[in-house]
Amino acid sequence: MFLDTDRTKSRKERYDSKQKDAIKLPAAMAAISFDFDDNIAFLIRSAACFGILEVFIIGKVPSRSCLKAKSGSLCDYVTIKSFSNTLEFSKYARENGYKIVAIEICDNAEPLYDYKFSFEQKTILLLGNESTGIPGDIVLRNDTVYIPMPGPGYCLNVSQAGTVVMNEFYKQYIERI
């Protein structure tokens, strides 16, 4: 892994130099209209760091200035596509051969660390809204995982949850090589 620590270069120069050797995972992140724009920017930052180059937003996309400031300019390294609703998003995923994996705390969800990602097709890792989660119709029609939490808390911040899931996807991806 290439780590450019030359602080005489700008952040963009360091990102660009890493770009040619960076891993590109067969996955996309998706979020259902977060309540806090910062969470989307933090999710974009994590996606770019893990080699996930597509981020889908169902609902309002924050301003470019917000995304640029809060993502550490990594919004310039991912493709952001927005959808007006979950039906439009689900149709796009189906027509483009994506497998949706919903990250949701619910009865039928499988623990993340027991779930085996398939790398036969691109995967969308879908996070719900901070308050309302993922609509039931999406949970029922797709694989659903939750993040086991052995401490007294039961729910991570949504951008943190996305980072945990991306890390597990990456781990399983490189283990198969």
Side-chain angles (χ1 to χ4, degrees):
M1 179 173 65
F2 176 71
L3 184 61
D4 191 345
T5 58
D6 182 354
R7 296 298 177 178
T8 63
K9 294 181 183 176
S10 71
R11 181 181 288 186
K12 182 168 179 10
E13 288 172 325
R14 291 193 314 270
Y15 291 162
D16 288 345
S17 67
K18 188 177 178 188
Q19 182 82 341
K20 66 180 189 285
D21 296 321
I23 290 176
K24 293 166 182 66
L25 294 178
M29 283 304 304
I32 299 176
S33 155
F34 290 165
D35 293 335
F36 306 102
D37 289 348
D38 290 3
N39 280 333
I40 291 176
F42 298 152
L43 190 67
I44 289 168
R45 182 181 189 128
S46 291
C49 287
F50 279 102
I52 294 176
L53 304 180
E54 293 179 298
V55 176
F56 303 142
I57 308 297
I58 304 159
K60 178 185 152 290
V61 176
S63 71
R64 173 145 173 72
S65 62
C66 169
L67 293 181
K68 190 166 176 91
K70 301 293 183 172
S71 75
S73 298
L74 283 166
C75 62
D76 294 338
Y77 295 84
V78 300
T79 300
I80 301 168
K81 182 166 178 55
S82 64
F83 301 90
S84 58
N85 56 56
T86 56
L87 290 175
E88 181 184 333
F89 163 75
S90 295
K91 180 180 178 196
Y92 176 86
R94 189 174 47 258
E95 289 176 353
N96 289 280
Y98 288 94
K99 175 182 183 61
I100 297 173
V101 177
I103 294 80
E104 184 66 82
I105 300 170
C106 62
D107 290 340
N108 296 328
E110 183 176 345
L112 173 64
Y113 307 116
D114 293 341
Y115 183 81
K116 299 300 174 219
F117 289 101
S118 169
F119 302 103
E120 302 302 314
Q121 67 186 114
K122 286 182 90 173
T123 300
I124 296 175
L125 305 168
L126 175 62
L127 298 162
N129 175 276
E130 296 97 325
S131 303
T132 59
I134 297 173
D137 62 318
I138 291 180
V139 169
L140 291 173
R141 286 184 293 189
N142 297 285
D143 291 355
T144 305
V145 298
Y146 72 93
I147 301 166
M149 293 175 228
Y154 65 89
C155 184
L156 291 169
N157 167 283
V158 69
S159 66
Q160 294 169 333
T163 300
V164 169
V165 173
M166 285 184 263
N167 184 63
E168 180 63 18
F169 187 92
Y170 167 73
K171 180 178 158 261
Q172 289 185 29
Y173 182 78
I174 61 168
E175 284 174 350
R176 73 182 243 302
I177 298 174

